[in-house]
Amino acid sequence: MTTVFEEVLKETIRVRGYKLATAESCTGGLISHRITNISGSSEYFSGGVVAYSYEAKSKLLGVSWDTLNTHGAVSKEVVLEMALGARKLFDADIAVSVSGVAGPGGGTPEKPVGSTWFGLSARDGNWVRHFLWDGDRGQNKQYSADAALQFVIDYLEGKVS
């Protein structure tokens, strides 16, 4: 099943000739799955990494152990390093990353269930967004995939500052 996000992304990114990559944690590949549900996505989607553990974030995406140990996986610092790592790994123009607490467990007072960070790295800068979802695990993953796709669309439409 595709939604409007995937179709808008396709039309917006193809015009620019950009390549996109993903780095996913809490969404478990859902963003990449949704992108590749669109016929022709190989024209603009280079690939994605599901880096769920600290080890995977470090080995596959180059996230520093210092950043992970200081800030934790669910942080703006980590999603920025994830996005930078994915952009480099896939030689992409844009990379979007996500790390969050999908639930129902795993939350803390500082990072409650639903707390989710997004990173976007492009050749002209890096940005983060944060949301606090209130759904169950499946809903929080869907909300996060929507938000990641919207983040890329916003960047492509010049709405990220």
Side-chain angles (χ1 to χ4, degrees):
M1 180 180 109
T2 61
T3 66
V4 69
F5 293 105
E6 293 93 317
E7 294 293 343
V8 171
L9 175 64
K10 176 182 178 177
E11 296 310 314
T12 311
I13 201 167
R14 286 174 70 195
V15 169
R16 290 163 182 78
Y18 287 171
K19 295 288 185 180
L20 172 65
T22 62
E24 302 182 60
S25 187
C26 66
T27 49
L30 182 59
I31 299 164
S32 298
H33 169 75
R34 287 180 53 183
I35 292 168
T36 59
N37 272 343
I38 300 295
S39 178
S41 58
S42 62
E43 293 176 31
Y44 54 88
F45 183 62
S46 297
V49 170
V50 176
Y52 210 66
S53 68
Y54 276 29
E55 291 81 6
K57 287 175 179 66
S58 178
K59 285 182 183 178
L60 299 173
L61 297 170
V63 177
S64 82
W65 280 101
D66 183 55
T67 303
L68 287 162
N69 291 324
T70 302
H71 300 285
V74 181
S75 66
K76 64 181 176 183
E77 293 83 3
V78 167
V79 294
L80 277 175
E81 289 188 30
M82 288 173 65
L84 285 163
R87 191 163 63 85
K88 180 179 176 183
L89 179 65
F90 291 102
D91 193 26
D93 300 289
I94 308 164
V96 65
S97 63
V98 60
S99 187
V101 184
T108 66
E110 300 81 29
K111 297 177 186 179
V113 169
S115 181
T116 309
W117 282 96
F118 300 84
L120 188 139
S121 178
R123 298 194 191 280
D124 60 340
N126 303 295
W127 299 268
V128 294
R129 287 183 175 171
H130 179 260
F131 294 95
L132 183 59
W133 310 126
D134 62 358
D136 63 25
R137 186 177 186 84
Q139 290 168 324
N140 290 342
K141 289 173 69 171
Q142 287 293 337
Y143 298 153
S144 294
D146 289 348
L149 294 169
Q150 185 65 61
F151 200 178
V152 175
I153 292 164
D154 288 348
Y155 170 78
L156 293 167
E157 292 179 344
K159 297 177 183 173
V160 174
S161 58

